Amino acid sequence: MYEDLAHRFGGRTPVAELRRRAEVLEPGAETGETYRAAGRVLGRRGQGKVSFLDLVDRTGELQLMAPVDRMSPEAFEATRRLSLGDIVGVEGELIRTRRGEPSLRLSHLELLAPNARPLPDRYGGLRDVEQRYRQRHLDLMVNPEVRERFLVRSRVVTALRRFLDARGFVEVETPLLQPLYGGAAARPFVTHHNALDRDLYLRIASELYLKRLIVGGLERVYEIGRNFRNEGVSFKHNPEFTVLETYEAYADHEDVMRMTEELVAAAAADALGTTRVAVRGGEVDLAPPWRRLRLGAAIGEACGVDPTVGPRDPEALRRVLDEAGVDHSRDRSWAQLVDHLLSHFVEPHIVEPTFLVEYPVELSPLARRTRHDPGLTERFEAFCGGMEIANGFSELNDPADQRARFEEQATAGRGGDETAHPVDEDYLAALEYGLPPTGGLGVGIDRLVMLLTGSDSIREVVLFPALRESVVGRGEEAGEDAAAEPPPASS
């Protein structure tokens, strides 16, 4: 049957463009101009001498009028035999009906691909969450707001590239399969390369490779790509996720914070036409400048204890969590407890775009120490809408200090911390050639799109999110994984 169908249908005009041209006409007016369009039939009406169809393509929806007196008998009969969901190519005159509806009055229609399955109710939409995530093709087909959300995502990524390219950054690619994982605190996925007969890791971050390029003299680099972390899932965590990382020589964290504000605002303006986005029933403005607040002060304001002041006492932090009824049994170190205080007491309540700065060195093994306190680092995380969207710092470029921190992390790893950073001898060797003062940034693309589209789950902005294995008849929504482990430590 498919051998009889057309191999192509060229010369098409997008539906949105046809609507735009027709909407300037007076009701009842005709253009006298013929256009071609193609898409999926998602509605049909009329059984007499005129059939009406709703044609949907990526850009929108347009009414088709199929009058018996303007089409060949074969073409008119083809319109009568169509099923909902069939993909068609059409040709006809662009008009605006007396009721004011932009329409294409057909002279030709041909079936390009038949639909053999029943569609979800178009007007009710596809609302079953499990089915939406598992059959994203149906979700995109019948839920136009979902289609628009992923078009926004595409515009965001394009805007990020445009912003960085205009500032002299060079886009690069670094390995996804790495002989040693690093650049973040996370558990990796491990695989085996048969030809090399060695284990390799899916990258948890591209940081250590990108900084080698700064050592090599590229000076400004960025990468947009996937990272993989073998950890629990939640509304803001997926095992594979997309990150933008940038590194700029001769810059520090202050330079990077200013760039982050401008970068996010530019992405919002390009993708949405505004820097104002809806958050939690209100509205925030992503335009610079963003608020800046010390991490220790933010935790202290939220729970009464500033962990960055005084001795590193894990028991004091455990007492705070105990008093709040928060399970901390998985937190093995003072640094993990600080991160838990941040994620529980502070992060969910930051609505306006905010930089938290000056993170403890124990939480930031790759960041440079502050100029006023060796126990703190020139690191920031950016938050908005109750979640972290970016992380950056002045990069540690002292190979001796970096080795000492790697060794401290290795000790933590031997003590049971599966997210501890390993000692990377190749990276240390690269540092010994000299890494200039450098500012680095990581932006979570998925979370940024969540923020810009008002989505409350990362699964709404990832086309094919990680899900449990489907069990027929379980009737369970693809919501948060109740058996998931706690979120990973900040990278």
Side-chain angles (χ1 to χ4, degrees):
M1 180 175 67
Y2 278 70
E3 289 79 2
D4 298 329
L5 302 178
H7 286 231
R8 68 185 299 273
F9 193 84
R12 304 175 320 280
T13 301
V15 160
E17 176 62 17
L18 293 177
R19 291 192 66 91
R20 186 188 68 79
R21 295 182 186 185
E23 283 169 351
V24 302
L25 301 174
E26 293 294 328
E30 303 176 356
T31 62
E33 297 176 350
T34 298
Y35 295 90
R36 286 161 65 86
R40 193 178 294 273
V41 174
L42 291 184
R44 58 179 302 160
R45 299 169 299 284
Q47 296 297 324
K49 295 184 177 180
V50 180
S51 292
F52 293 90
L53 308 172
D54 294 328
L55 183 76
V56 176
D57 73 0
R58 188 184 75 182
T59 67
E61 179 178 327
L62 182 69
Q63 176 174 273
L64 306 179
M65 297 175 59
V68 66
D69 60 347
R70 288 179 176 260
M71 304 179 72
S72 69
E74 296 79 13
F76 184 75
E77 183 58 29
T79 68
R80 304 290 293 270
R81 293 197 305 266
L82 289 176
S83 298
L84 290 182
D86 285 352
I87 298 173
V88 299
V90 296
E91 184 172 317
E93 181 184 2
L94 187 63
I95 67 171
R96 192 169 188 183
T97 67
R98 288 192 296 272
R99 294 184 177 182
E101 182 65 27
S103 302
L104 199 64
R105 187 166 58 196
L106 301 186
S107 57
H108 175 73
L109 177 145
E110 60 181 291
L111 178 66
L112 301 178
N115 170 47
R117 288 177 174 264
L119 295 181
D121 175 63
R122 184 187 174 201
Y123 295 101
L126 183 62
R127 297 292 173 240
D128 181 270
V129 179
E130 175 100 9
Q131 188 180 13
R132 286 185 53 235
Y133 295 157
R134 294 190 186 280
Q135 296 179 284
R136 186 68 88 182
H137 51 288
L138 289 180
D139 193 23
L140 293 166
M141 189 187 302
V142 302
N143 291 332
E145 72 278 5
V146 173
R147 197 161 57 243
E148 176 58 24
R149 186 180 306 133
F150 286 102
L151 293 176
V152 167
R153 181 184 175 117
S154 178
R155 294 197 294 268
V156 167
V157 174
T158 298
L160 296 175
R161 282 195 167 96
R162 183 184 300 116
F163 180 98
L164 293 167
D165 291 346
R167 284 156 179 76
F169 282 80
V170 177
E171 184 172 10
V172 297
E173 295 176 311
T174 62
L176 289 175
L177 282 175
Q178 302 180 347
L180 188 67
Y181 60 94
R187 284 196 303 269
F189 288 94
V190 61
T191 187
H192 188 78
H193 192 292
N194 292 330
L196 297 178
D197 192 24
R198 67 178 301 184
D199 285 345
L200 295 173
Y201 303 91
L202 285 175
R203 75 176 179 205
I204 61 174
S206 55
E207 176 169 346
L208 301 188
Y209 282 89
L210 290 172
K211 287 193 285 193
R212 286 169 166 88
L213 303 181
I214 300 296
V215 171
L218 291 187
E219 294 188 355
R220 292 184 179 186
V221 297
Y222 74 94
E223 182 171 15
I224 297 175
R226 292 298 185 110
N227 290 344
F228 306 83
R229 298 184 185 178
N230 195 358
E231 294 163 332
V233 296
S234 74
F235 76 94
K236 59 182 179 179
H237 293 95
N238 196 59
E240 57 175 313
F241 55 100
T242 306
V243 174
L244 161 68
E245 286 206 39
T246 77
Y247 292 87
E248 180 179 0
Y250 312 110
D252 69 359
H253 69 299
E254 291 285 352
D255 298 305
V256 178
M257 279 193 284
R258 285 190 292 272
M259 185 180 77
T260 303
E261 297 170 325
E262 296 169 2
L263 176 73
V264 171
D270 278 15
L272 305 176
T274 178
T275 59
R276 304 190 70 86
V277 296
V279 175
R280 295 184 178 180
E283 190 177 69
V284 301
D285 194 344
L286 299 174
W290 295 1
R291 181 176 64 148
R292 286 157 170 74
L293 184 64
R294 283 195 316 106
L295 170 69
I299 294 176
E301 181 180 320
C303 63
V305 174
D306 182 342
T308 65
V309 175
R312 295 338 201 201
D313 180 7
E315 294 311 312
L317 305 186
R318 292 185 195 279
R319 286 194 294 273
V320 173
L321 292 167
D322 283 335
E323 290 170 4
V326 179
D327 178 19
H328 54 77
S329 59
R330 295 177 182 269
D331 300 325
R332 295 177 174 271
S333 66
W334 177 86
Q336 289 175 328
L337 289 163
V338 172
D339 193 64
H340 203 157
L341 292 174
L342 167 62
S343 63
H344 183 82
F345 289 103
V346 179
E347 179 175 355
H349 306 291
I350 300 178
V351 178
E352 296 283 339
T354 301
F355 291 116
L356 296 186
V357 299
E358 297 189 359
Y359 279 58
V361 68
E362 294 89 341
L363 266 178
S364 313
L366 297 163
R368 193 164 183 167
R369 300 176 193 268
T370 66
R371 290 155 242 200
H372 62 86
D373 185 340
L376 301 176
T377 62
E378 292 186 346
R379 176 185 174 188
F380 68 85
E381 287 185 316
F383 297 86
C384 189
M387 61 184 173
E388 176 203 346
I389 59 172
N391 173 45
F393 38 83
S394 302
E395 303 297 332
L396 178 58
N397 62 349
D398 180 341
D401 191 357
Q402 185 65 84
R403 177 177 293 279
R405 295 201 214 173
F406 277 168
E407 290 173 350
E408 289 173 4
Q409 290 279 305
T411 299
R414 290 190 292 271
D417 183 356
E418 294 179 300
T419 68
H421 203 296
V423 177
D424 189 331
E425 293 291 349
D426 287 344
Y427 176 67
L428 290 170
L431 276 189
E432 290 176 351
Y433 285 97
L435 173 70
T438 298
L441 170 67
V443 177
I445 302 294
D446 309 310
R447 292 190 190 174
L448 178 58
V449 177
M450 284 176 64
L451 176 66
L452 297 184
T453 59
S455 302
D456 58 8
S457 171
I458 196 170
R459 290 168 174 170
E460 293 291 349
V461 300
V462 174
L463 280 168
F464 301 102
L467 301 170
R468 292 176 177 177
E469 184 177 1
S470 178
V471 178
V472 176
R474 186 165 65 184
E476 176 181 309
E477 284 194 350
E480 316 311 343
D481 188 342
E485 299 180 14
S490 301
S491 61

